[in-house]
Amino acid sequence: MTGRSHWWAVAHEADIPAAKPVPAKVGDLAVVLFRDGAGEIRALEDRCAHRRAPLSLGVVTPEGLVQCPYHGWRYDGSSGKCRAIPNLSSEEKVPGNF
């Protein structure tokens, strides 16, 4: 997220459900915690790249991506990259910088 090499305890593992993102704070940084498709806990900044909507208000898809509640953009917790944008056609790809 920020390139820091520190670990911060922000929640108990048992408090992170499989299908619901959870908001947390790391200092003054808002993060979203969720479980990916393998059940691993992931953390991203709690904002969508599109309209900055809080990802913690969205859902976790069956594939383990966190989905924005606003327009449905989906993010991969291992890289933070946007993996799906619902309004793109099948020929269009998600831009690499999202």
Side-chain angles (χ1 to χ4, degrees), residues 2-4 8 12 16 19 24 27 32 38 41 44 60 64 69 77-78 88:
T2 61
R4 297 181 189 151
W8 298 87
H12 289 280
I16 312 301
V32 60
I41 296 173
L44 298 175
V60 178
S78 64
L88 293 181

Side-chain angles (χ1 to χ4, degrees), residues 22-80:
V22 175
K25 292 287 257 183
V26 177
D28 61 352
L29 178 65
V31 298
V32 60
L33 306 173
F34 65 99
R35 291 186 184 270
D36 66 15
E40 295 291 321
I41 296 173
R42 302 295 184 172
L44 298 175
E45 281 191 63
D46 194 10
R47 64 173 182 82
C48 177
H50 179 232
R51 295 283 185 189
R52 296 186 178 263
L55 295 173
S56 60
L57 296 178
V59 297
V60 178
T61 68
E63 305 82 29
L65 303 175
V66 65
Q67 180 175 311
C68 175
Y70 192 50
H71 282 127
W73 289 26
R74 296 177 180 179
Y75 296 89
D76 179 338
S78 64
S79 67

